[in-house]
Amino acid sequence: MSDATAPEPPGANRPFAKRMMRKLQDNWRSVIIAIPFFWLLFFFLAPFFIVAKISLAELAIASPPFTKMVEWTDSGIMTIRIVFDNFTYIFEDSLYFDTYVNSLKISVTSTIICLLFGYPVAYAIVRSGPVAKPILLFLIILPFWTSFLLRVYAWMGLLADQGTINNLLIALGIIDEPIRMLYTEFAVFVGVVYTYMPFMILPLYANMEKLDGSLNEAAADLGSRPTNTFFKVTLPLTIPGIVAGCLLVFIPATGEYVIPDLLGGGNVNMIGRVLFNEFSRNSDWPVAAAVAIVLLFLLVLPIMVFQYYQGKASEAD
Amino acid sequence: MYGKRSRFLTIMLTLGLAFFYIPMIMLVIYSFNYSKIVPVWGGWSLRWYNELFQSQEVWEAVSLSLQIATLNATFATLLGTLAALAMVRFGRFKGRTLFGGMIVAPLVMPEVITGLSLLVFFISLNELIGWPAQRGFTTITIAHITFSMAFVAVTIQARLTGMGQDLEEAAADLGAKPFKVLTAITLPRLTPALVSGWLLAFTLSLDDLVIASFVTGPGANTLPILIFSRIRLGLRPDINALATIIILVIAVCVAIAAILMLRQQRRDLRDQQLAAGEG
């Protein structure tokens, strides 16, 4: 009985929880890295490899509906089965090819429009007084936080045959018949430019804000006209902002699904929409996976350029 | 960099703001329209708000979306903060380049690709270990955490870089252990960024349609999924009413967040001036 109350040797029989705490305190840095690292590895990177795997399989009547890549025969021989049919199919089928081209056309054009209009707006905010600046910035950021879906919906109301714009034009006597705008490519352009404009303005603003105003003064002192100063001094210095803004518009716009679906109706095909419909309606998974992989390849270079600039920007800070 | 704003710039700024706000203002105005056909004016009325509040379907979708958004924001802030600490304060470690890439990639990844890959991932996982047997609340939450933690991480990284390491170094010089420095100095100073990161993750989740549509299952309709299924067929006055409420709530939240951030910036500026004055 008295044995039970005998003092324990120190350290040898510490409670498990305490030892774990000790271990945690010694290795807390690795724990902090490991938790988000493995989350992303598991839920972000691994899914891409599964998509890549499916894109190399064949359609099969099974659940899930594709053939297995690695199979073991009864005699224990491993067979690996890879087909590239899905990729050749995408390039031979004019529907897919044209849709990729159309997506790129829409995203590139919208990016240019965003730049042409976003640049002066960003520049105007930078040149505003200390009271107006935070308010203007807030007004640009606010739509960025409001629901994307509802911003697209707002344009449905403006562009419809009986929508605000047509009603206004008819009331003013400019047109007699409503102009068809909703469910056309024009509507898709408007939607893309509208929803992605803040992504162009904000990086441009961040870049211009850091510029040294004395360079402009020096140029003016030396007799340079404002237009000349803009093209020779300001514009070259804002190239990092231009690149970041363009990529932030171009990359998501290329894979856009909601805008072509709601504003383009069935008339405008973009690859994000084809991918979504392919997957939910036809359930031809291997082809849909291949479509996604090709889209990813189209965007890998822009994404890497973006990461490179991001890395440079964070080093500069 | 202040300077004179030329007339051209002022005009562009005005046009830009008009372009941003006129569609939303029209949306709000037409939510008070009595007429069933959205663009035809039938007099002021709260009819559609009334109808909205009586819809069981809408309430269920709001409740599901808010639950997912809250859970998502909390976990995304936790994971995003850990990721930002690792990237900014831990120097070099094995796999840092891959880690950095995985943090930035979800920011620019097209939603259709993220959604598709997560769906096939969940299905494959179900084949393999029998989980998740049903898609819905859990799968949407996991998908949202995965992409919103990247946004939180970038926000926190910027704040960590901005606030410098002087106080941490001072605490270390005075004998505080690294873990103590983290909990007593770094995290309290991060609080405003944590709040704005949480709000960002919250709205990102409330806003997401595409990824949620991929990874959802039967019966689990989030608010955007519900809205989308209704407006696909055309304009609907009840959606105008719903949109007005959502826009109002978000505007208030963003204004609060903006004021908090502005205060923090002023405090930082004052601290810097004080430090410079004494040094």
Side-chain angles (χ1 to χ4, degrees):
Chain A
M1 283 289 159
S2 61
D3 288 289
T5 53
E8 289 175 6
N13 235 344
R14 272 224 193 114
F16 178 71
K18 223 171 192 172
R19 264 187 296 154
M20 282 310 286
M21 270 311 286
R22 193 61 211 249
K23 223 170 174 155
L24 188 73
Q25 281 196 347
D26 291 342
N27 297 311
W28 59 279
R29 277 167 190 269
S30 324
V31 176
I32 285 182
I33 297 172
I35 296 170
F37 187 83
F38 283 105
W39 181 284
L40 286 169
L41 208 63
F42 198 61
F43 290 116
F44 186 74
L45 206 59
F48 284 114
F49 285 105
I50 297 175
V51 174
K53 195 193 91 177
I54 295 174
S55 75
L56 297 172
E58 276 177 298
L59 187 63
I61 302 166
S63 170
F66 52 86
T67 54
K68 288 204 170 77
M69 184 186 267
V70 181
E71 260 175 322
W72 296 88
T73 56
D74 295 337
S75 49
I77 298 166
M78 190 178 77
T79 55
I80 299 179
R81 197 182 163 86
I82 293 176
V83 289
F84 288 96
D85 292 4
N86 305 311
F87 289 96
T88 45
Y89 174 63
I90 288 172
F91 281 101
E92 279 162 8
D93 191 300
S94 64
L95 167 78
Y96 290 108
F97 192 79
D98 293 349
T99 309
Y100 279 114
V101 173
N102 203 38
S103 299
L104 287 175
K105 187 189 85 184
I106 290 174
S107 58
V108 168
T109 319
S110 307
T111 307
I112 295 169
I113 299 171
C114 278
L115 179 62
L116 288 180
F117 286 91
Y119 197 98
V121 173
Y123 201 53
I125 299 173
V126 171
R127 299 212 134 201
S128 298
V131 180
K133 195 184 276 187
I135 298 170
L136 289 171
L137 210 56
F138 174 75
L139 287 174
I140 299 294
I141 293 172
L142 187 60
F144 175 87
W145 286 72
T146 36
S147 167
F148 171 79
L149 188 58
L150 294 174
R151 278 183 288 154
V152 178
Y153 176 69
W155 277 99
M156 287 174 71
L158 290 181
L159 297 172
D161 284 355
Q162 293 203 323
T164 317
I165 294 175
N166 272 321
N167 285 351
L168 188 72
L169 291 178
I170 291 173
L172 291 174
I174 298 171
I175 51 168
D176 300 323
E177 290 277 298
I179 308 168
R180 187 151 187 80
M181 289 181 286
L182 188 59
Y183 306 136
T184 63
E185 204 168 75
F186 169 74
V188 176
F189 276 119
V190 171
V192 173
V193 170
Y194 182 69
T195 44
Y196 289 107
M197 187 64 99
F199 292 85
M200 178 65 82
I201 294 176
L202 292 173
L204 277 172
Y205 169 82
N207 178 237
M208 289 171 181
E209 183 65 9
K210 285 188 214 141
L211 291 187
D212 187 356
S214 58
L215 287 175
N216 286 26
E217 281 164 28
D221 287 348
L222 294 169
S224 166
R225 286 163 170 279
T227 330
N228 188 43
T229 311
F230 175 77
F231 284 105
K232 291 258 168 70
V233 179
T234 310
L235 192 61
L237 285 172
T238 50
I239 285 177
I242 295 175
V243 173
C246 286
L247 291 172
L248 278 178
V249 176
F250 170 77
I251 297 167
T254 308
E256 187 51 53
Y257 162 70
V258 177
I259 299 170
D261 200 74
L262 287 179
L263 297 177
N267 306 320
V268 183
N269 254 345
M270 285 183 76
I271 202 66
R273 188 165 172 272
V274 169
L275 183 63
F276 192 96
N277 292 341
E278 191 85 24
F279 211 78
S280 52
R281 286 185 205 149
N282 305 350
S283 63
D284 187 342
W285 287 25
V287 170
V291 171
I293 295 291
V294 173
L295 174 60
L296 198 59
F297 268 101
L298 277 179
L299 297 177
V300 144
L301 190 70
I303 289 174
M304 281 168 71
V305 172
F306 177 77
Q307 291 200 344
Y308 173 75
Y309 269 88
Q310 278 288 102
K312 255 189 20 181
S314 62
E315 269 167 36
D317 285 336
Chain B
M1 172 178 144
Y2 298 127
K4 250 190 18 214
R5 209 164 68 193
S6 68
R7 189 175 298 159
F8 168 72
L9 287 181
T10 309
I11 292 170
M12 289 305 285
L13 187 63
T14 317
L15 282 179
L17 289 175
F19 178 64
F20 274 144
Y21 284 97
I22 285 175
M24 282 198 270
I25 292 168
M26 294 313 290
L27 183 79
V28 171
I29 290 174
Y30 277 102
S31 75
F32 298 106
N33 181 7
Y34 182 80
S35 163
K36 204 179 170 85
I37 305 157
V38 174
V40 179
W41 189 253
W44 297 89
S45 143
L46 288 175
R47 179 185 172 186
W48 303 110
Y49 288 89
N50 196 22
E51 206 144 295
L52 195 69
F53 285 123
Q54 277 162 12
S55 162
Q56 181 75 25
E57 216 186 0
V58 170
W59 281 113
E60 275 168 14
V62 168
S63 152
L64 179 69
S65 274
L66 287 178
Q67 285 174 43
I68 292 175
T70 312
L71 207 59
N72 161 63
T74 308
F75 276 94
T77 307
L78 193 72
L79 288 166
T81 308
L82 296 183
L85 280 171
M87 285 304 287
V88 179
R89 291 288 147 92
F90 287 4
R92 307 215 165 272
F93 56 87
K94 233 187 220 170
R96 190 177 187 275
T97 316
L98 176 68
F99 193 42
M102 286 196 300
I103 291 173
V104 185
L107 301 182
V108 285
M109 192 59 65
E111 291 167 319
V112 278
I113 297 186
T114 312
L116 176 94
S117 55
L118 275 165
L119 172 62
V120 296
F121 172 76
F122 285 132
I123 290 172
S124 309
L125 203 63
N126 186 26
E127 296 280 319
L128 211 65
I129 61 167
W131 181 91
Q134 225 181 0
R135 289 188 299 280
F137 183 83
T138 316
T139 47
I140 298 174
T141 310
I142 290 174
H144 282 183
I145 293 170
T146 307
F147 80 85
S148 28
M149 70 175 276
F151 285 85
V152 176
V154 171
T155 315
I156 308 270
Q157 270 183 47
R159 174 73 191 139
L160 276 174
T161 318
M163 70 190 197
Q165 238 167 317
D166 300 350
L167 280 180
E168 276 100 330
E169 275 162 16
D173 287 349
L174 293 171
K177 291 218 172 76
F179 192 74
K180 180 82 184 164
V181 174
L182 179 74
T183 51
I185 311 282
T186 314
L187 287 180
R189 290 186 80 206
L190 269 181
T191 310
L194 293 176
V195 172
S196 52
W198 193 93
L199 286 172
L200 179 61
F202 188 79
T203 43
L204 282 171
S205 168
L206 276 188
D207 203 17
D208 168 65
L209 164 74
V210 176
I211 295 171
S213 301
F214 270 107
V215 299
T216 191
N221 283 337
T222 62
L223 194 58
I225 293 177
L226 179 83
I227 295 175
F228 186 66
S229 70
R230 291 194 178 183
I231 62 178
R232 265 191 118 171
L233 304 169
L235 299 164
R236 289 191 47 143
D238 55 336
I239 298 297
N240 281 55
L242 185 57
T244 304
I245 298 172
I246 293 174
I247 289 172
L248 199 75
V249 170
I250 290 171
V252 169
C253 289
V254 176
I256 293 171
I259 291 167
L260 282 178
M261 296 262 284
L262 215 65
R263 262 200 206 152
Q264 180 67 36
Q265 268 177 13
R266 289 218 183 108
R267 205 175 303 150
D268 279 3
L269 205 69
R270 208 181 48 217
D271 287 353
Q272 276 170 20
Q273 279 165 351
L274 277 176
E278 282 160 15

